[in-house]
Amino acid sequence: MRADVLVVGGGLGGVAAALAAARTGRSVILTEEFDWLGGQLTSQAVPPDEHSWIEQFGATASYRALRNGIRDYYRRHFPLTERSRAWTDLNPGAGWVSRLCHEPRVAVAVLEEMLAPYRGSGRLRVLQPYRPVAAETDGDRVTGVTLAHRDRDERIDVVAPYVLDATETGELLPLTGTEYVTGFESRAETGEPSAPAEAQPMNMQAVSVCFAIDHVDGDHTIDRPAGYDFWRDYKPDFWGDRLLSWKSPHPRTLEIVERSFTPNPDDDPLSVNADQRVNPGDGNLWTFRRIVARRNFVDGTYGSDITLVNWPMIDYFEGPVIDVPNASWHLSKARELSYSVLYWLQTEAPRPDGGTGFPGLRLRGDVTGSADGLAQAPYIRESRRVRAEYTVVEQELSLAVRGDHGAVSYPDAVGVGMYRIDLHPSTGGDNYIDVGSCPFEIPLGALIPQRMENLLPAGKNIGTTHVTNGSYRLHPVEWNVGEVAGLLADFCLARGESPRAVRNTPRLLADFQDRLTAAGVEQRWPRIAGY
């Protein structure tokens, strides 16, 4: 098969890249390993983690269209109360983690709507479920990628002048021989305050296998997981209690705190102020990542709220799942941990009334679109990262370092983002690393490999470090990166120039940044002045 642009990986970055390239008139092939497009938003079942100003600015126009599309989908298809229907910034789940918490299947529907015109015209072809298994190169260029069907013995070879790696773990980087880094870089290399003295390539953030639950009458207790005894008694050195407890370190202070859990509180959805500057929102774990608030809907629509479990105790940091021979074993243990957390919740978790267990908790695999009840895919926080022309380091966006000066402004900025430097416990035994961040820019140099000419990272695999990945890995930034990669491929094809030349030639860079502006890609944070 042939196309102008091959996008491998159908997460948020991949969808944004395919959409951007198809809108310019390019032929695009998009591949995805799982049943749903959308990655961390859908198959991984993670409600969007976003900054405090997302409703006003700080995202691309197409990402804003996705967010508006999700709200419009609820208004068109769901029996909302009149009060909720009139809520401009409708938050269907009234979760505290984000101003837009929703069921993953709705995001799938909206993403498919956005792609539908290009699929219908034949400009975009989606290969699903396929994953990359091999690649051909000629010097510094990728000449072809081999894709394998997930469920049957079938392979497809794809040839394209531009290949975008939007996989969750940077899978094309080793397949193409592209230089990359994993884990923690050394302080000698990066100068980062939070980096260790020596590099730790196998020290990576925890992965999590999320799941959705509601709470209804009856006993919905699952079978006791095979490894439950291990996980029930497991006590990490820095946790302050067993992993399966309501206690865990506060990410920002590392103080041991105890969270509450109250299913189906009779709260007013419109009273939820999902602004993490004011409140991280994780006090009551039920409402933290709630994706359906039953009071947003006409009585009887939902018998219970639905909440998404992406909580501290499901973080799996016993071993990395990248560049190790036993990655599949670690992923199976991560799933076992999630089942064990659910079983603990149903049988042994302390209740406010002094009892134990919530047998009314029901696993909602129908909500996550999976036969086994958990999310279709693990939530991967940290990918392989390309050795790029420019690598973003901690001291360029750290609030503690930059203060009132704000994050470093890059001459080759191609987007913006904002999130605290948020690192979960890691496979090297690190506790949370959580550092305040300034609103930052995305430099084009982070998308340009040091050597390869026609391979572009389009997700969490750009030129960040272990530390700065903690800010750049979130939903709006991943989408922005993918969109820029798709537009860059088109720009290079139209001009007959390389991505490297675009970044390093002032005239070309200015033209490309103008192209981004016309497409609704913000490159600077606003500075508001009077007039």
Side-chain angles (χ1 to χ4, degrees):
M1 298 178 64
R2 296 178 181 271
D4 295 326
V5 181
L6 168 63
V7 182
V8 181
L12 286 177
V15 170
L19 186 63
R23 281 175 169 169
T24 67
R26 299 295 171 186
S27 61
V28 181
I29 292 173
L30 172 65
T31 79
E32 169 54 28
E33 177 180 356
F34 294 97
D35 294 339
W36 287 349
L37 297 174
Q40 60 177 321
L41 187 63
T42 60
S43 61
Q44 297 172 34
V46 180
D49 285 295
E50 299 171 330
H51 57 74
S52 297
W53 306 281
I54 193 68
E55 302 294 347
Q56 290 79 38
F57 46 78
T60 75
S62 62
Y63 184 78
R64 198 171 302 285
L66 169 62
R67 299 179 85 255
N68 291 338
I70 289 169
R71 285 174 171 149
D72 289 345
Y73 193 94
Y74 274 95
R75 292 189 177 101
R76 283 186 283 129
H77 298 292
F78 284 72
L80 296 165
T81 65
E82 289 305 312
R83 186 164 173 259
S84 295
R85 187 177 301 281
W87 186 6
T88 302
D89 297 336
L90 172 64
N91 189 347
W96 285 83
V97 74
S98 168
R99 289 185 168 93
L100 184 60
C101 292
H102 54 84
E103 295 179 63
R105 195 184 300 275
V106 172
V108 176
V110 175
L111 290 170
E112 292 285 1
E113 283 182 347
M114 296 173 77
L115 294 172
Y118 310 103
R119 297 182 78 163
S121 68
R123 192 179 299 168
L124 169 66
R125 180 150 186 192
V126 180
L127 301 180
Q128 205 174 4
Y130 283 86
R131 58 186 180 86
V133 292
E136 296 289 333
T137 59
D138 182 6
D140 298 336
R141 301 189 68 83
V142 181
T143 57
V145 176
T146 300
L147 306 161
H149 196 280
R150 184 190 64 195
D151 304 326
R152 59 177 183 264
D153 186 17
E154 178 185 304
R155 296 196 172 198
I156 298 174
D157 294 321
V158 182
V159 176
Y162 277 91
V163 177
L164 278 51
D165 184 349
T167 61
E168 298 298 320
T169 56
E171 292 175 50
L172 288 186
L173 303 182
L175 292 178
T176 59
T178 300
E179 292 78 10
Y180 68 91
V181 64
T182 62
F184 228 148
E185 297 88 346
S186 70
R187 187 175 304 167
E189 179 183 355
T190 67
E192 294 177 309
S194 299
E198 297 184 4
Q200 301 170 2
M202 289 293 102
N203 187 2
M204 306 179 203
Q205 282 197 72
V207 301
S208 298
V209 179
C210 303
F211 56 93
I213 52 174
D214 60 8
H215 188 270
V216 294
D217 292 339
D219 186 344
H220 304 280
T221 304
I222 63 171
D223 293 338
R224 185 186 181 97
Y228 179 69
D229 288 346
F230 171 82
W231 292 114
R232 181 187 57 189
D233 297 332
Y234 181 57
K235 186 176 181 180
D237 292 339
F238 55 83
W239 207 255
D241 201 339
R242 294 181 302 177
L243 183 66
L244 272 58
S245 70
W246 298 130
K247 293 182 179 179
S248 62
H250 188 287
R252 300 182 186 181
T253 66
L254 303 186
E255 175 189 2
I256 304 304
V257 296
E258 184 167 357
R259 294 173 173 86
S260 66
F261 180 70
T262 305
N264 289 325
D266 195 29
D267 59 331
D268 178 4
L270 275 73
S271 71
V272 172
N273 180 19
D275 184 345
Q276 294 195 25
R277 291 176 301 176
V278 179
N279 183 347
D282 57 354
N284 179 6
L285 290 173
W286 181 268
T287 55
F288 180 36
R289 295 183 186 270
R290 183 172 54 184
I291 56 176
V292 170
R294 68 195 187 284
R295 287 190 59 188
N296 266 327
F297 303 89
V298 172
D299 285 348
T301 304
Y302 289 90
S304 166
D305 295 347
I306 302 174
T307 195
L308 197 286
V309 177
N310 180 16
W311 305 339
M313 65 275 281
I314 72 165
D315 280 4
Y316 179 85
F317 41 84
E318 290 302 288
V321 298
I322 295 173
D323 289 351
V324 292
N326 58 344
S328 60
W329 183 84
H330 281 300
L331 287 172
S332 70
K333 299 303 285 186
R335 300 181 80 81
E336 181 184 79
L337 169 58
S338 292
Y339 281 128
S340 295
V341 168
L342 174 60
Y343 187 77
W344 175 81
L345 288 169
Q346 293 173 321
T347 61
E348 295 190 63
R351 296 197 310 260
D353 64 5
T356 56
F358 298 83
L361 293 177
R362 180 174 59 171
L363 187 60
R364 293 295 303 271
D366 56 323
V367 170
T368 54
S370 60
D372 65 6
L374 305 179
Q376 296 173 23
Y379 178 29
I380 304 290
R381 294 182 174 88
E382 184 173 344
S383 172
R384 299 176 180 90
R385 301 181 300 281
V386 66
R387 290 278 188 188
E389 281 203 347
Y390 191 90
T391 300
V392 179
V393 294
E394 177 183 0
Q395 54 270 32
E396 294 173 357
L397 61 150
S398 165
L399 185 60
V401 174
R402 298 292 301 175
D404 292 339
H405 296 288
V408 168
S409 184
Y410 307 109
D412 62 341
V414 292
V416 297
M418 170 61 198
Y419 206 75
R420 290 179 66 88
I421 297 174
D422 171 25
L423 303 180
H424 284 233
S426 66
T427 58
D430 291 325
N431 202 338
Y432 290 96
I433 298 175
D434 192 289
V435 178
S437 173
C438 302
F440 55 81
E441 298 169 1
I442 305 168
L444 181 57
L447 278 72
I448 311 296
Q450 290 179 352
R451 180 178 61 85
M452 299 298 284
E453 296 293 343
N454 69 330
L455 176 71
L456 296 172
K460 295 188 287 287
N461 52 353
I462 63 171
T464 57
T465 65
H466 173 81
V467 176
T468 56
N469 164 74
S471 289
Y472 278 72
R473 66 181 171 82
L474 285 312
H475 302 65
V477 179
E478 182 187 349
W479 182 279
N480 191 325
V481 167
E483 184 170 358
V484 169
L487 290 172
L488 181 60
D490 166 70
F491 188 87
C492 291
L493 287 168
R495 297 292 187 97
E497 301 283 359
S498 69
R500 197 176 320 282
V502 172
R503 179 186 181 236
N504 293 293
T505 306
R507 173 183 54 82
L508 290 174
L509 177 60
D511 287 352
F512 182 57
Q513 289 174 319
D514 286 345
R515 175 72 181 86
L516 295 179
T517 299
V521 178
E522 299 174 17
Q523 296 144 61
R524 311 286 179 194
W525 284 90
R527 298 184 66 178
I528 308 300
Y531 60 91

